[in-house]
């Protein structure tokens, strides 16, 4: 996999100490303003309520695994010139330049890529970098973060409109929503008394668990699980005492890409060792973007998690 932009391929515009004003001018010059002006009457309203003219959209930078997957599902993958670190599907995007973690964007690192459109997940950051990007001549469209079937449809509709692929977008939406409904209906048949308590952790160092409003919480619910952390919003640290109280039946984690984490690694953690999940070595590991991206493959992730939770059907 190629390294992040700036590692060995640093843009000539990136100079430590270069002023923001100089950077703003440089990026404005790099922006394909001719195409932008020519299509200024064609606009979309993004997740932030901004009216944006997408322009020609021939050199797209995608930020967010769901955003990247939707662009490819629409058949526009050849237009993508770079992606964020979390975008790993379809496999060909691994060969694209990446700009690092989408919540820690470096505006300087985007300059040499010469995108004529940036499609960014709504939670991209940091805020100061986003404010600079919004001020440039390069159009940037923020895609909503919405962990529901309707949210996926909104993402597809917005991206399709931005790329001039409305008809394709309708077809993709119909297929994705049908698959999602079928997967959700399967897990909905699991009676309440059989439903397992599942806690999702990003990693083992701080044991930050997914609460309500997170995509992990939504996936757990759609797959027929119960999330005892849903009494808090977002990701919160889970203490040993709290975990004993919640008594999760299953621990859910993202793959580290190296064959782990393993049950031995996870349940060696003192806080997790006292849970019912530890007694049964009940650990489920799924690819991160696949599991919590809420894009075209979410229905498959729901099915896979449901099967892992309830193998007996």
């Amino acid at each position: 996999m190629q390294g992040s932009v700036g590692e060995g391929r640093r843009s000539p515009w990136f100079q430590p100490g270069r002023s923001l004003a100089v950077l703003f001018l440089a990026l404005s010059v790099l922006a394909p303003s001719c195409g932008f002006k020519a299509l200024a009457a064609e606009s979309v309203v993004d997740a932030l309520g901004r009216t944006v003219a997408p322009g020609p959209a021939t050199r797209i930078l995608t930020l967010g695994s769901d955003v990247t997957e939707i662009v490819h599902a629409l058949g526009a993958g050849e237009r993508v010139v770079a992606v964020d670190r979390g975008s790993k599907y379809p496999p060909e995007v691994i060969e694209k330049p990446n700009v690092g973690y989408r919540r820690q964007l470096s505006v300087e690192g985007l300059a040499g890529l010469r995108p004529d459109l940036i499609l960014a997940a709504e939670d991209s950051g940091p805020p100061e970098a986003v404010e600079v990007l919004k001020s440039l001549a390069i159009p940037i469209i923020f895609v909503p973060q919405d962990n529901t079937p309707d949210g996926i449809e909104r993402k597809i509709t917005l991206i399709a409109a931005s790329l001039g692929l409305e008809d394709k977008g309708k077809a993709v939406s119909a297929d994705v929503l049908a698959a999602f409904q079928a997967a959700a209906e399967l897990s909905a048949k699991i009676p309440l008394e059989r439903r397992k308590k599942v806690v999702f952790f990003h990693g083992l160092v701080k044991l930050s668990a997914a609460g309500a409003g997170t995509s992990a919480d939504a996936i757990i619910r759609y797959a027929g699980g119960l999330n005892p952390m849903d009494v808090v919003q977002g990701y919160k640290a889970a203490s040993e005492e709290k975990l004993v109280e919640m008594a999760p039946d299953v621990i859910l984690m993202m793959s580290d890409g190296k064959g782990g984490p393993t049950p031995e690694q996870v349940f060696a953690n003192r806080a997790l060792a006292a849970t019912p999940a530890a007694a049964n070595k009940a650990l489920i590991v799924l690819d991160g973007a696949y599991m919590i991206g809420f894009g075209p493959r979410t229905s498959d992730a729901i099915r896979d998690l449901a099967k892992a939770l309830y193998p007996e059907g």
Side-chain angles (χ1 to χ4, degrees), residues 202-221:
H202 258 312
L204 294 173
V205 177
K206 295 183 179 180
L207 285 185
S208 180
T214 62
S215 53
D217 172 67
I219 284 290
I220 290 170
R221 287 186 289 103

Side-chain angles (χ1 to χ4, degrees), residues 137-151:
I138 304 170
I140 179 169
I141 295 171
F142 291 93
V143 179
Q145 292 291 288
D146 187 337
N147 304 322
T148 65
D150 288 343

Side-chain angles (χ1 to χ4, degrees), residues 57 60 70-80 163 165:
I60 306 168
I70 290 170
V71 171
H72 281 79
L74 292 169
E78 75 283 353
R79 303 194 213 173
V80 176
L163 304 183
L165 297 171

Side-chain angles (χ1 to χ4, degrees), residues 14 42 47 58 67 77-78 85 91-92 97 99 106 113-114 117 131 138 141 152 163 175 178 208 221 228 297 301 309:
F14 176 57
E42 299 180 9
T58 58
V67 175
E78 75 283 353
R85 188 178 71 193
E92 56 263 33
V99 297
S106 166
L113 297 170
R114 299 178 63 87
L117 176 64
E131 287 306 309
I138 304 170
I141 295 171
I152 298 177
L163 304 183
D175 290 344
S208 180
R221 287 186 289 103
R297 298 187 297 157
L309 288 173

Side-chain angles (χ1 to χ4, degrees), residues 103 147 197-203 206-221 225-239 242-243 246 248 250-254 272 291-292 294 305:
R103 296 185 186 177
N147 304 322
K197 290 188 286 185
V198 183
V199 176
F200 171 80
F201 292 106
H202 258 312
K206 295 183 179 180
L207 285 185
S208 180
T214 62
S215 53
D217 172 67
I219 284 290
I220 290 170
R221 287 186 289 103
L226 302 173
N227 180 14
M229 278 293 292
D230 65 3
V231 294
V232 299
Q233 287 287 324
Y235 281 88
K236 302 293 182 183
S239 65
K242 184 65 176 176
L243 281 166
M246 290 189 298
V250 177
I251 301 301
L252 177 62
M253 298 190 71
M254 294 189 296
L272 295 174
M291 179 178 65
I292 60 177
F294 265 80
L305 180 54

